[in-house]
Amino acid sequence: MRSPGSTAPADPRRPGRKPAPRWAGALRGALGAIVVLGLWEVAGRTVFAGLYLIGTPSGIVTKIAENTETYLRGLLFTTTDAALGYLFGNAAAVILAVLVVLVPGLERLVLRIALVVYCLPLVALGPLLRLLYGSSNGPQITLAAIAVFYLTLVPLVVGLRALPGTWLDLTASYGRGRWTTLVTVRFRAALPYLMAGLQVSVPAAFLGALVGEFTGAERGLGVLSILALRSLDTDGLWALMILSTLVSLLGYGLVSWIARRITPERPDVLLSPSGPPARSAGWTRWARGVGGALVSIAVVLGGWILLFAALDLNPYFAKRPDDVWDWLIASPDAAAHRTEIFRAVGETLAVAIPGYAAGLLLGLGLATAFSLSNRVRRTLTPIAVALRCVPIIAVAPLLVAALGRGPFGTAVVVAILTFFPTLVSCLQGLRQLPGQVTDVFATYSTPPLRVLLLGRIPAMAPAFFSAARIAAPSAILAATVAEWLATGTGLGDLMAVDAATSRYTSLWSTVVIVTVVSLIAYAIVEVVEQRVLRVVAPEQTRR
């Protein structure tokens, strides 16, 4: 019984103790923030003074107060371009995903072409799009759309497959066609995966818009960031980064809020087929794969030639496939050209591979920790989201300057860009353990760690591998961005020098090599994925 005069029930977790009022938690949080800001101010004025690495809170506030109108105008321009690219890119992702489900015969071709577009390096596309669009906001919107569409397309296709074959048999027995099955059955299974893709796409759209602004725009946060970098205005650069982060956090929070309200909390049981799907002979699979790859190459090359001809682009800067072939293969200097490019490829892969592995492990580790401990999740989620929402194009020079221009600094940039999509996808995958299976574990009082190992991780496998596939070209993108901005090495620097010196044949040849390397990395991950999913999620291997 409550004692006379008591105002709150005893906390059942701590007998005899009243629960702490909410204002006490808020007060502790405020005091903690004050301490962090104080230490930040002291470190900025002592240890890091004169290094142009860390702005001080007082200096950042002063910069925002002095340049409020300019910063807000630039923020409005960049946010508008990022939002338009976000809408166009995700709309394209939904259309392509629906197409491959309704017309399965087109799936491999459509996804390969989409992958080629996603693997095109933003660092090189920016200057080329600037020549095409001029001073308009076209490059910003286009790069934002390219940066996001594949992040949504891959998990959405995974989600559209995440249903048992018996459901498809049931709808077929009632005479329902592919469209009705898509709307009534597949969309329900795909909704959580779609929302995960939309969440990850928010900071990616901002990155694409900033890259576009770095290539010659006349306004926006990217232009202001360039001015701050050139003038060593560390406080101004940090102010711009914080404003960009806040906008990305607001967008991410809005999409997350929508996701929590429209996605089911208890996924339905995903009944896998009783046995592995029928497999054709080895030579048949190889012939189909080689034939599909050749068709894809033909379509890409044909589209390249026809698009440039239709737009009547100047061949001085808009090179065709035969120009690239001559540069890399046929010309007398082709051997020297290949040596230059392959040396840069080695430098980029030396930082992209360890950064990619570290990002995947960090994302997977944080996701499993979050699933086991709500306290860890509440503590680290804001930090993880804020870290990814910081525009990497602005923070990369600071990270490289702080950690050194060697491989380690660039690998950290790659890991930051890689881990967040992995974290979001793995968290979504860990929640896909069917409700009935969860009830079985609860009936036997199964410890959380055992539930994680036996149930949640196998259920997470499709989401993890979709993130791993996306992260493979993203790691090369991150490496080239860091090289472009800060290190002066690798493919990023080579493309930057080519664009600055009008070596457009070399630039287009490097773009082709970067795209091929990204495609090879993607294919390696896909082979591993297929072998694993045949065991833990056979429904994902059906076409």
Side-chain angles (χ1 to χ4, degrees), residues 39 56 66 111 118 148 157 166 225 234 269 315 324 358 389 481 490 539:
L39 294 175
T56 60
E66 293 175 348
L111 291 182
Y118 178 67
V148 306
V157 171
T166 51
S225 298
T234 308
V269 174
V324 173
C389 288
V481 167
E539 74 278 355

Side-chain angles (χ1 to χ4, degrees), residues 487-511:
T487 67
T489 60
L491 292 167
D493 180 67
L494 182 59
M495 288 185 287
V497 172
D498 288 342
T501 58
S502 299
R503 296 175 60 200
Y504 291 114
T505 308
S506 176
L507 177 60
W508 279 96
S509 301
T510 307
V511 169

Side-chain angles (χ1 to χ4, degrees), residues 74-75 78-79 202-203 206 210 213 221-222 225 237-251 386 389-394:
L75 186 64
T78 303
T79 303
V202 173
F206 221 87
L210 286 174
E213 291 174 350
L221 290 185
S225 298
L237 182 61
W238 275 76
L240 294 169
M241 285 195 302
I242 289 174
L243 291 175
S244 302
T245 302
L246 289 176
V247 171
S248 295
L249 283 172
L250 287 175
C389 288
V390 174
I392 200 68
I393 198 168

Side-chain angles (χ1 to χ4, degrees), residues 407-421:
F408 180 71
T410 310
V412 170
V413 175
V414 174
I416 290 175
L417 197 64
T418 301
F419 96 92
F420 187 70

Side-chain angles (χ1 to χ4, degrees), residues 242-263:
I242 289 174
L243 291 175
S244 302
T245 302
L246 289 176
V247 171
S248 295
L249 283 172
L250 287 175
Y252 179 86
L254 176 61
V255 177
S256 300
W257 179 83
I258 296 173
R260 287 194 299 270
R261 279 154 179 77
I262 67 174
T263 54

